[in-house]
Amino acid sequence: MQWPTHEVSNQAPDLHDYNLFTSDKALVASVQREQAAWYEQDLIRLGAELGKQETLHLGQLANHHLPELQTHDRFGNRIDVVEFHPSWHQLLTMQRRENLHAMPWSQPRAGAHIARTAAYYLQAQVESGSLCPITMTFAAIPLLQKETKLFATLEAKLFSREHDTRDLPLAQKNSMLIGMGMTEKQGGSDVRSNTTVARPLNGGGRGTEYALTGHKWFFSAPMCDAHLVLARTDAGLSCFFVPRWRPDGSKNAILIQRLKDKLGNRSNSSSEVEFQDAYGVMVGEEGRGIPTIIEMANHTRLDCVIGSAGLMRNALVQAIHHARHRSAFGLPLAEQPLMQNVLSDLALESEAATLLMLRLARAVESPDDPLERAWRRIVTPAAKFWICKRALEFTGECMEVWGGNGYVENAAMARMYREAPVNSIWEGSGNVMCLDVLRAIAKEPESFNLLLESLLDTAVEHAGLRERIAELRSDLKASPSQQEMLARRFAQRLMLTTQACLMLQTAPPAIAEAFIDSRLDAECGRVFGTLNDALATSALQQDILARAWPG
C-alpha cells in the first residue's frame, strides 16, 4: 500500500503553450524594423506552434531516442543506414515546411534573410540537432547555383518544402538534404593536411566526375542525400559533390564506420566514414576547394550565432519562469534582489545577442554594399566566437537558477547546457574565428575603417564607447605576433562595442545604457549578476525583466 508522506508544492510548472515570437519584444520590433514585416503573421503562427507542449516534447524525444547505425541488413548486405525516431522527422518536416533550408534563395525579396533568421531562431529554442542538415543545405545552395548543369538537376529537390525520409537515389526523391565532410583525423581545422584523394574518371576539371578514396573524421549528417567534401587532386584541395547514391542507382561507396558519441547535439548523427572510389562531381575551380568552402562558411557561421542566441533566449525564459514560480526563504526567487541582478544581467546579454544576429542577417541582404561586407566578413567570425562562447556560460547560469532541478535530464536545462558547446567548435573553434577576424581586417582594411566609422556615428555622444573604438584602432598597430596573441581580447572588445552600439540604436534608452555601463565596467566581469549599484535598482531591473519575458 502506498500512503502520502507529504504534499508536493513550490515546484515551478513546466513552461508550455506560449508564443515564442510575440513574447519576444526585441525580436518583434526587429522584424518590423528590418524589412521583414511581411513575414510577421507567419512568425506569429510559428511561434504559437513551437510553444505548444506537444511540439516541445518532440525535442525531448529526439534527444532521448538517439540515431542508430545499421551497417548491414540481416542477410549480410552492406546498407549503411542511420535510423531516427519519428520525432526527428517531424521536426525536419516542420523546418522544411517553413522553408528554413532555402527561403532567401527560392523566394528572394527584401527582408528574406531577416525572416529566415527569425524563424530559425525560434526553432532553435525547441531543438538544435535537427537544424544541422537544414543549415548545411541552406549554405550549399548558393554554392551549387554556380554549377549550372548540376544545379539544374537538383533545384526542384533543394527548393522543395517537403521532407522526404526515403533512402533512395536522387532521381526517385521529392526533396533532398545536403551535408558536409571536411575534417580528417590528422588535421581537424587544418584541412590543408587532408589526405583524401580524387581520381578523375573522364578528363577532370570543374563539373566532371571523380572517384574519391580516403576518410572523413566528422561527416554530418550521413543520411543526407549528398555531401560537399574536400579531396586532393594534382592541383591541390578541391571541392566535390558526393551523392549517397550513384547516378546508375547503386549505393555510393561511402562506408559509415561508426556514429560519434557526442556530449550534446545528440539527436543529430555525426559519423566517421571511408570512401572507396566514391563517386563525386567537382564543384568550383580545381585546387580552389578551401575558398569554395569558405563561401559556405559565412552562412554556417551565422547559423551558429543564431542557434546560440536561440539557446540563450530559451534558457533565459526558462530561468525567469522558474524564478517567478519558485519561492525560497519566504519570497519568490524573482523578487529577491540578488536573483533580480542575475536575471537582469542575463536579459541584457540575450537581447544584445538577438540584435547582433539580426544585424548580421541584414548584412547578407546587401552583398554589394562595402559596409555590409565588413559586417559579413569581419563581424560574423567575431560574433561566432563571442556569442557561442557566451552561450556556454549563459546556459550554465540559467541552470543554476533552477538549482538541482536544472541538473537532471528530464527537464529542459540539462539538454541546453550540453547543447551549448557545439557551436563554439563546429565551423571553427574560438581561436580559428579570432584569427580569421585579423586576416579579414588585414586583407580589407578599408572595410574595417568603414565599420569603425559607422560605429562612431552611433557612439558620437558616448565617451566610453568612443574610447573603445579608438582602442580597436590602436590594437592593430601592434606587431603581427602580438596581435595574434591578443586576438581573443580584440574580438571581445569588438563584440562588446558592436553590441553596445546596436543596443543604443534599438533598445529603450535606460536598458541600452544598462548594457553599456555594465559592459564598460571593469568590475562587471564574466560572472552574470554583477551589475553595479547604479544599475541594480529594483525599478530598472523590473523594466528589464518585463521586456525580456512578460509571461
Side-chain angles (χ1 to χ4, degrees), residues 10 26 44 52 60 105 146 267 274 311 343 371-372 398 414 446 453 468 490 496:
N10 197 27
I44 293 172
K52 290 181 178 178
Q60 297 173 342
W105 320 129
K146 298 177 181 179
S267 68
E274 291 185 355
L311 275 177
L343 294 174
L371 175 60
E372 300 309 309
C398 290
E446 66 284 354
E453 291 301 321
R468 284 295 183 96
F490 178 84
L496 289 175

Side-chain angles (χ1 to χ4, degrees), residues 16-27:
H16 53 72
D17 298 324
Y18 69 104
N19 193 306
L20 276 66
F21 177 68
T22 58
S23 60
D24 191 335
K25 292 184 179 181
L27 180 63

Side-chain angles (χ1 to χ4, degrees), residues 42 101 132 166 170 216 219 246 297 307 312 315 357 371 378 390 392 424 427 447 451 468 474 506 527:
D42 290 281
H101 65 292
C132 181
R166 299 173 299 166
L170 273 173
K216 294 299 169 186
F219 194 74
R246 298 173 183 270
M312 292 165 68
M357 78 172 189
L371 175 60
I378 297 169
R390 294 300 275 166
L392 280 161
S424 274
E427 289 303 292
S447 294
L451 177 65
R468 284 295 183 96
S474 63
T506 61
V527 177

Side-chain angles (χ1 to χ4, degrees), residues 159-438:
F159 286 173
S160 171
R161 296 174 71 166
E162 174 186 343
H163 173 53
D164 191 339
T165 65
R166 299 173 299 166
D167 184 21
L168 294 171
L170 273 173
Q172 301 175 38
K173 294 200 66 174
N174 301 323
S175 67
M176 65 180 297
L177 290 169
I178 294 180
M180 295 169 65
M182 304 297 150
T183 61
E184 297 182 2
K185 293 183 179 74
Q186 70 282 352
S189 296
D190 182 13
V191 295
R192 287 178 174 82
S193 66
N194 283 10
T195 61
T196 297
V197 296
R199 174 174 53 85
L201 297 178
N202 51 5
R206 186 172 190 167
T208 64
E209 299 172 325
Y210 283 74
L212 280 66
T213 299
H215 81 282
K216 294 299 169 186
W217 189 228
F218 273 90
F219 194 74
S220 292
M223 288 306 292
C224 286
D225 300 284
H227 287 75
L228 292 173
V229 307
L230 291 176
R232 192 170 295 281
T233 67
D234 291 341
L237 280 177
S238 302
C239 184
F240 295 88
F241 175 86
V242 181
R244 183 164 166 76
W245 295 77
R246 298 173 183 270
D248 63 7
S250 63
K251 184 68 70 71
N252 206 359
I254 307 167
L255 306 183
I256 305 176
Q257 303 303 300
R258 61 176 176 173
L259 300 185
K260 297 288 192 181
D261 186 8
K262 297 177 293 184
L263 167 69
N265 203 249
R266 294 177 68 80
S267 68
N268 176 44
S269 61
S270 300
S271 63
E272 300 167 23
V273 301
E274 291 185 355
F275 305 133
Q276 297 182 354
D277 273 354
Y279 171 88
V281 175
M282 183 180 288
V283 297
E285 296 295 332
E286 185 173 7
R288 299 282 295 167
I290 294 176
T292 299
I293 289 300
I294 285 176
E295 294 181 40
M296 290 181 63
N298 288 329
H299 296 295
T300 54
R301 289 173 180 176
L302 176 53
D303 274 10
C304 287
V305 174
I306 304 168
S308 291
L311 275 177
M312 292 165 68
R313 172 65 186 175
N314 188 25
L316 172 68
V317 168
Q318 294 283 353
I320 297 175
H321 172 79
H322 178 88
R324 287 174 177 166
H325 288 84
R326 176 84 165 177
S327 294
F329 311 111
L331 272 179
L333 290 176
E335 295 179 16
Q336 299 187 14
L338 184 53
M339 182 60 78
Q340 285 186 345
N341 195 316
V342 171
L343 294 174
S344 298
D345 203 358
L346 290 166
L348 293 172
E349 189 78 18
S350 177
E351 179 163 349
T354 301
L355 295 178
L356 180 58
M357 78 172 189
L358 289 163
R359 181 59 184 86
L360 292 173
R362 191 213 300 176
V364 187
E365 295 271 335
S366 305
D368 299 324
D369 185 296
L371 175 60
E372 300 309 309
R373 176 170 174 79
W375 280 90
R376 289 195 311 277
R377 188 64 192 91
I378 297 169
V379 181
T380 296
K384 199 270 189 188
F385 159 73
W386 181 245
I387 301 302
C388 297
K389 277 276 186 286
R390 294 300 275 166
L392 280 161
E393 299 163 56
F394 194 102
T395 52
E397 194 69 62
C398 290
M399 178 190 289
E400 191 171 324
V401 172
W402 276 40
N405 287 337
Y407 201 67
V408 295
E409 291 287 358
N410 61 352
M413 284 298 184
R415 174 157 59 91
M416 279 187 274
Y417 185 66
R418 284 189 290 99
E419 194 68 51
V422 68
N423 285 332
S424 274
I425 298 170
W426 188 48
E427 289 303 292
S429 62
N431 285 357
V432 172
M433 291 299 98
C434 294
L435 294 175
D436 193 40
V437 172
L438 294 181

